[in-house]
Amino acid sequence: MNKNISLKYINKLAVPALIAGISEPILSITDTAIVGNVDVNPVESLAAVGIVGTFLSMLIWILGQTRSAISAIVSQYLGADNLNAVKNLPAQAIFIVTSLSLFIIASTYPFASEIFKLYNASNLILEYSVLYYKIRVFGFPFTLFTIAVFGTFRGLQNTYHPMIVAIIGAATNIVLDFVLVYGISGYIAPMNIEGAAYASVTAQILMALFSGYFLLKKTNIPLLPTFPFNKEIKRFIGMIFNLFIRTLALNITLYFATRFATGYGKNYIAAYTIAINLWFLGAFIIDGYAGAGNIMSGRLFGAKNYKDLVNLNKKLIKIGLVVGCALTLVGFIIYKPIGLLFTKEHEVLERFYNVFWIVLIMQPICAIAFIFDGIFKGLGKMGTLRNVLLLATFLVFIPILYGLDYLDFKLNGIFIALTFWMIARALPLLINFRKQFIPLAKNN
């Protein structure tokens, strides 16, 4: 068997990718845990972080799809032993996405209040949301820059250096969260929710600087864009467009989930914030193996090695199920303590504990869905991913959400709808892959 699809090699790529991948949810979870324990208005602060976190995640996921597109193209050219043909593509992609990020800042900053009213935020929660967003949004271009560089490293089958950058960013954010949110007696006054925002932005800037440094020092990929555009820029933009539509559908799901949770009251949105951030953490842990699937499937597809591609798929499904079940088990073991980590508010905890079991039992399903997401991104089949998510969102999630809301399921309804949404994402991709590549593997 090809050593480059061995479990050892998969873990060599997946474990660093896992650590790198959780950097963004670690920023949000740290903010959530620290802010949820402040002395002044902890529930409102926690709710604001959850609402803004959902909106920022939408922006990052929409424009952060450059990572998958760059990774797919670079890995395919690496597999075809023709990397020089796309050497200038990453810098051009970074230039495009960071330019778009500046436009996003200019078009959302003045309308922050109107944006968060759409999430049902009002009164103090709205005030805190606007305050938090107007600081955190300035980290947006730096995050997109980092994500694009991570995509380049992934395409080159290198997940080690993104891991180092992510560790630096997460450690910086945690330290600054404690210092700026709670303050240091006699030196730094407590800044509460503003401190959490400044901590995140500082960490994002630092990650961007280290990402650029490692790319220049450890690869021969330039950061300065040169023109004319690479011949693959058209395919890159096509991938981005399909992923944009797909991610828009994904964030419509999160928008409706957050909007419904906010509408149920401040204790519900606070509990939802904790649960959804833990769901994100689980997703990004599994995404380490999805990232390995992305990296390796692109290279094998570029080399037309369909037999190993199918074998890789089988291995990743088994690994995903093991990781998903392990997350479920660990979650049930620490069920009570994990809630207390985020808040001491009894009513918030009660609502969180009533729904967290659903987050846990969906983890194996999420694992399969995310792994196939990674594989199809590596294959460059963004149109298929787009169509599947559109169907899952509009024909599965939204109808179930409204139906369970009518039956007064509240937060349970939201997370049950999310579970069926994940099933609707996983099954079509599994069937499509087997139908397309098993016959090709037999003839390989």
Side-chain angles (χ1 to χ4, degrees):
M1 179 175 287
N2 188 337
K3 68 178 183 179
N4 285 339
I5 62 165
S6 67
L7 181 61
K8 181 179 179 181
Y9 187 71
I10 291 171
N11 282 325
K12 181 182 177 182
L13 293 175
V15 174
L18 183 160
I19 296 170
I22 64 174
S23 60
E24 185 60 33
I26 284 291
L27 296 184
S28 295
I29 283 178
T30 303
D31 285 358
T32 301
I34 301 297
V35 166
N37 286 286
V38 295
D39 294 329
V40 181
N41 301 316
V43 175
E44 288 81 0
S45 298
L46 188 59
V49 168
I51 293 168
V52 175
T54 298
F55 182 67
L56 281 173
S57 293
M58 177 190 72
L59 296 178
I60 290 168
W61 286 349
I62 287 175
L63 293 180
Q65 297 304 322
T66 48
R67 182 182 70 177
S68 298
I70 293 171
S71 176
I73 294 171
V74 171
S75 63
Q76 288 173 20
Y77 272 80
L78 182 69
D81 196 25
N82 189 24
L83 189 59
N84 279 335
V86 290
K87 188 176 175 180
N88 66 337
L89 179 66
Q92 293 174 351
I94 291 169
F95 172 76
I96 291 170
V97 76
T98 50
S99 298
L100 283 173
S101 71
L102 298 177
F103 171 76
I104 294 292
I105 292 174
S107 58
T108 60
Y109 188 92
F111 306 105
S113 180
E114 287 75 13
I115 290 168
F116 297 120
K117 284 177 183 176
L118 294 174
Y119 286 83
N120 276 340
S122 60
N123 303 322
L124 193 56
I125 292 176
L126 177 61
E127 182 182 329
Y128 280 176
S129 296
V130 173
L131 180 66
Y132 184 66
Y133 178 73
K134 285 191 171 183
I135 299 169
R136 276 218 57 183
V137 72
F138 288 103
F140 187 48
F142 299 99
T143 294
L144 293 179
F145 176 90
T146 301
I147 288 172
V149 173
F150 280 12
T152 306
F153 274 117
R154 280 193 174 193
L156 296 171
Q157 319 290 286
N158 179 339
T159 57
Y160 173 77
H161 287 100
M163 176 189 71
I164 298 300
V165 173
I167 291 172
I168 291 169
T172 301
N173 188 65
I174 291 170
V175 171
L176 289 180
D177 256 339
F178 277 99
V179 171
L180 299 179
V181 173
Y182 298 143
I184 299 176
S185 181
Y187 296 94
I188 299 174
M191 298 175 69
N192 298 320
I193 195 170
E194 288 180 273
Y198 283 119
S200 294
V201 172
T202 304
Q204 289 165 318
I205 293 171
L206 202 59
M207 288 173 69
L209 291 173
F210 274 97
S211 296
Y213 172 79
F214 283 131
L215 187 70
L216 293 174
K217 291 294 181 180
K218 302 299 180 179
T219 77
N220 61 354
I221 303 293
L223 267 178
L224 188 66
T226 56
F227 301 96
F229 282 113
N230 188 279
K231 64 179 182 178
E232 285 287 359
I233 202 73
K234 185 176 180 180
R235 183 158 75 111
F236 169 79
I237 292 173
M239 287 182 178
I240 292 297
F241 177 75
N242 283 326
L243 288 172
F244 172 82
I245 300 299
R246 176 184 182 272
T247 309
L248 197 60
L250 186 154
N251 283 287
I252 286 171
T253 297
L254 292 177
Y255 164 73
F256 273 96
T258 306
R259 189 177 188 277
F260 272 63
T262 306
Y264 298 142
K266 68 177 185 179
N267 291 316
Y268 284 95
I269 182 57
Y272 168 83
T273 297
I274 299 170
I276 200 68
N277 273 293
L278 290 170
W279 185 84
F280 286 145
L281 181 62
F284 278 92
I285 287 173
I286 295 166
D287 192 55
Y289 287 94
N294 179 312
I295 295 163
M296 298 169 70
S297 63
R299 175 173 52 80
L300 293 171
F301 185 64
K304 295 182 169 55
N305 187 348
Y306 304 121
K307 184 177 180 179
D308 280 341
L309 180 60
V310 169
N311 287 331
L312 170 68
N313 174 261
K314 292 176 180 177
K315 282 193 171 187
L316 287 172
I317 289 175
K318 292 176 182 176
I319 293 169
L321 288 173
V322 170
V323 174
C325 290
L327 288 172
T328 300
L329 180 61
V330 170
F332 278 115
I333 291 171
I334 60 172
Y335 202 89
K336 292 293 182 180
I338 201 166
L340 292 169
L341 177 68
F342 291 93
T343 185
K344 303 298 185 295
E345 299 290 327
H346 174 73
E347 290 187 3
V348 175
L349 285 171
E350 183 180 356
R351 285 156 180 77
F352 168 71
Y353 291 137
N354 284 339
V355 78
F356 187 44
W357 63 273
I358 305 175
V359 175
L360 295 177
I361 65 171
M362 77 164 83
Q363 291 305 309
I365 301 168
C366 293
I368 301 301
F370 294 142
I371 281 172
F372 272 102
D373 278 354
I375 289 171
F376 272 74
K377 286 175 181 177
L379 299 174
K381 297 187 178 298
M382 314 309 188
T384 302
L385 290 171
R386 175 202 64 204
N387 294 339
V388 167
L389 200 64
L390 285 171
L391 291 173
T393 297
F394 292 103
L395 297 185
V396 178
F397 175 78
I398 291 178
I400 292 175
L401 178 68
Y402 272 91
L404 295 179
D405 175 67
Y406 178 78
L407 296 173
D408 202 33
F409 274 55
K410 292 189 166 64
L411 288 189
N412 289 62
I414 292 173
F415 284 97
I416 290 171
L418 284 172
T419 302
F420 280 97
W421 180 64
M422 295 307 301
I423 293 171
R425 289 173 57 180
L427 277 178
L429 295 179
L430 188 153
I431 294 167
N432 184 291
F433 181 90
R434 292 177 65 84
K435 183 178 179 181
Q436 183 173 357
F437 289 102
I438 287 179
L440 288 173
K442 290 177 179 178
N443 299 322
N444 212 204

